């Protein structure tokens, strides 16, 4: 194909919530459909969080998809930060219909070369949704 160059984007990499640093939450496996060995059930408290360490070979924007379930009838917003900087305040994690119905919330985040700390922090007394994993590409 003369004149054309095929470019593959970075491969998508999954980072399981149960392998991340958890503050005020617990790993569970009592609802079906999760990947890995379980998911994180946030404590019902503002400030509970899950924090992943994600390496990047170069600095730049990345797509982040957070897989979650919210079996309540209320939004469970979370602040999304990368390396301590807010990238989405009170990002919505709307109801999914059941704790076993999983959805993806996607946003673009800035990564630096080297390790990056990606944190999802509950902003209400209801805590966050159940979090299965993040996928970074």
């Amino acid at each position: 194909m003369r004149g054309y160059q095929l470019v593959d984007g970075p491969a998508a990499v999954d980072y399981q919530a149960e392998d991340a640093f958890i503050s005020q939450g617990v790993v569970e496996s009592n609802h079906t459909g999760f990947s890995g060995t379980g998911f994180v059930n946030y404590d019902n408290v503002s400030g509970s969080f899950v924090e992943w360490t994600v390496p990047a070979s170069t600095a730049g924007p990345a797509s982040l998809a957070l897989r979650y379930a919210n079996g309540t009838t209320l939004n469970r917003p979370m602040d999304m930060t990368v390396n301590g900087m807010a990238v989405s305040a009170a990002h919505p994690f709307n109801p999914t219909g059941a704790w076993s119905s999983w959805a993806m919330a996607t946003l673009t985040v800035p990564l630096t070369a080297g390790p990056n700390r990606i944190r999802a922090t509950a902003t209400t007394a209801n805590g966050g949704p159940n979090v299965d994993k993040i996928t970074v590409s």
Side-chain angles (χ1 to χ4, degrees):
M1 299 178 93
R2 190 176 173 111
Y4 293 94
Q5 179 181 5
L6 297 177
V7 177
D8 291 327
V13 179
D14 290 342
Y15 298 90
Q16 297 294 329
E18 65 270 21
D19 298 331
F21 181 80
I22 302 163
S23 175
Q24 297 177 303
V26 63
V27 175
E28 294 182 344
S29 60
N30 57 324
H31 300 294
T32 62
F34 59 86
S35 63
T37 59
F39 57 86
V40 172
N41 180 354
Y42 281 65
D43 288 352
N44 292 342
V45 62
S46 179
S48 53
F49 68 85
V50 175
E51 183 176 280
W52 297 264
T53 300
V54 173
S57 57
T58 59
S63 175
L64 182 143
L66 188 145
R67 189 167 189 260
Y68 75 98
N70 179 356
T72 73
T73 59
L74 302 172
N75 175 28
R76 289 194 169 197
M78 295 195 293
D79 288 341
M80 302 298 298
T81 62
V82 176
N83 299 321
M85 292 180 43
V87 294
S88 184
H91 193 86
F93 291 88
N94 292 310
T96 59
W99 291 111
S100 58
S101 294
W102 299 89
M104 298 292 267
T106 304
L107 59 152
T108 300
V109 298
L111 299 182
T112 59
N116 292 270
R117 292 176 295 111
I118 298 173
R119 183 182 287 193
T121 305
T123 61
T124 71
N126 293 324
N130 287 349
V131 174
D132 182 32
K133 65 179 178 178
I134 59 171
T135 302
V136 179
S137 57

